[in-house]
Amino acid sequence: MKKHFQIVFFVFLSFSAFAQNQKDTVVVKKNKCNTGIFISIGINTTQYFSNVFYNYLYNTMGSNIHRAFIPTTDNYKVNSNALVFNYNKSSLEQVLGFGLELNPSRFKKLNHIIETSFMRFSEDYSYSDNFTEESVDVSNGWWADVYDTVQTKYNQTIFNFAYKFQPTFKFIFFSLGINCSVNLIKATQQKKEQINFRGYHLQDPPYAYSQNNISDTANNLHYINFPLQLGVGGCVKIKRVILKPAFYFTPFFIKGYNFYNTSIDILYEFKKH
């Protein structure tokens, strides 16, 4: 009798352990996160709404030093006019990206996106900068009217790392994300400078001359920003492949421009819902 009781007790313990293991398996299965990979192809429009970005290039390139001559007296000053920038207000660029989509089984309509994208484009701009240098002394003084005309070309490469939260309602999704945007710029600049010089000595007659200078400058610049991104799109599902055309808006207020991106994601799900 005792032996039978031991056998029954052993079977009960084995069944309990098996049932608990099955329960844990079910829980894990229910909480499992579905995943998918995607590539993204799109067109981006950059819209410049102020001169902030070009002022940044101007200051970083070292072009803002209003000094054609080294002052020899303390009575030295510069009178500068406002800068005039000329550039394209908008530009088109191609965007290529890829990433990972995470979809919790318990919340199938709440998607989490991790994406890396790449964009490269070339632009140019020009500006004019006119100013007057003056050094006045009782016995020795001079004035110089300086006219600068600058042409600059630059290549800008942008690496973007983004997280997006995308709730889906039927065939439409909304997107809210934050980006880490790494901007690498290689710029070449040519400055043409015309100087009209006038001077005098107390015991000599006034004198004047003009000269033209040309100088070239090359520089590598970089900066990082963390803009928010808003978007809306749709889903077209073909078995495990999902096409997601979308429109995204990314403001870069600190640098004076906005991104408008139209793209399509081609997503492959590892597990069919």
Side-chain angles (χ1 to χ4, degrees):
M1 185 72 179
K2 184 176 180 182
K3 184 177 181 180
H4 286 234
F5 177 79
Q6 291 176 345
I7 294 174
V8 171
F9 183 72
F10 176 78
V11 171
F12 174 77
L13 290 178
S14 300
F15 179 80
S16 298
F18 175 79
Q20 182 64 36
N21 183 61
Q22 287 296 104
K23 183 178 179 181
D24 294 341
T25 302
V26 171
V27 171
V28 171
K29 186 175 181 180
K30 285 184 178 180
N31 293 333
K32 187 176 180 180
C33 185
N34 298 315
T35 59
I37 58 174
F38 66 89
I39 61 173
S40 179
I41 304 172
I43 297 177
N44 182 80
T45 300
T46 304
Q47 181 189 43
Y48 299 91
F49 57 84
S50 73
N51 292 341
V52 173
F53 175 73
Y54 294 98
N55 277 317
Y56 163 77
L57 295 181
Y58 170 80
N59 292 324
T60 310
M61 290 288 289
S63 307
N64 62 328
I65 302 175
H66 292 157
R67 180 168 295 179
F69 300 92
I70 299 175
T72 56
T73 67
D74 294 333
N75 298 321
Y76 176 83
K77 61 181 180 178
V78 175
N79 301 314
S80 178
N81 297 320
L83 287 173
V84 179
F85 288 98
N86 296 305
Y87 56 90
N88 294 325
K89 299 297 182 181
S90 62
S91 60
L92 288 176
E93 306 89 27
Q94 294 182 345
V95 184
L96 178 64
F98 62 92
L100 182 68
E101 179 178 290
L102 305 177
N103 179 265
S105 297
R106 295 179 61 185
F107 305 99
K108 294 181 179 180
K109 301 298 182 180
L110 303 179
N111 298 320
H112 302 270
I113 309 296
I114 300 173
E115 182 182 16
T116 300
S117 61
F118 167 82
M119 180 168 58
R120 185 177 185 180
F121 56 95
S122 299
E123 291 291 336
D124 58 77
Y125 70 96
S126 63
Y127 65 87
S128 59
D129 188 10
N130 305 329
F131 57 94
T132 300
E133 295 185 71
E134 181 180 358
S135 179
V136 181
D137 191 271
V138 175
S139 59
N140 182 17
W142 56 265
W143 297 264
D145 297 321
V146 184
Y147 304 91
D148 287 344
T149 302
V150 181
Q151 298 279 344
T152 303
K153 295 183 178 180
Y154 65 92
N155 296 319
Q156 185 168 358
T157 302
I158 300 176
F159 295 96
N160 196 58
F161 306 93
Y163 164 76
K164 303 176 184 178
F165 175 66
Q166 294 183 345
T168 304
F169 303 93
K170 294 185 178 181
F171 303 106
I172 299 176
F173 69 87
F174 298 93
S175 180
L176 175 63
I178 183 169
N179 299 343
C180 174
S181 182
V182 180
N183 299 263
L184 307 176
I185 301 174
K186 183 176 181 179
T188 57
Q189 173 181 276
Q190 184 181 78
K191 180 168 69 173
K192 297 180 180 179
E193 187 172 66
Q194 178 182 348
I195 301 174
N196 298 325
F197 186 90
R198 304 181 304 277
Y200 69 89
H201 295 287
L202 185 62
Q203 298 178 350
D204 298 324
Y207 60 97
Y209 67 88
S210 297
Q211 69 180 45
N212 295 306
N213 301 320
I214 298 178
S215 60
D216 296 322
T217 305
N219 208 342
N220 294 321
L221 320 172
H222 71 275
Y223 63 91
I224 302 175
N225 43 17
F226 299 89
L228 294 176
Q229 184 186 74
L230 301 175
V232 62
C235 300
V236 180
K237 191 169 185 179
I238 307 173
K239 295 183 178 180
R240 294 192 181 184
V241 177
I242 300 178
L243 304 179
K244 299 175 66 176
F247 172 79
Y248 298 98
F249 169 65
T250 311
F252 293 81
F253 296 121
I254 296 178
K255 282 294 187 287
Y257 58 86
N258 295 325
F259 280 171
Y260 301 90
N261 181 281
T262 301
S263 63
I264 182 169
D265 295 352
I266 304 174
L267 171 69
Y268 176 80
E269 291 183 312
F270 292 114
K271 182 178 178 181
K272 187 177 181 180
H273 292 305

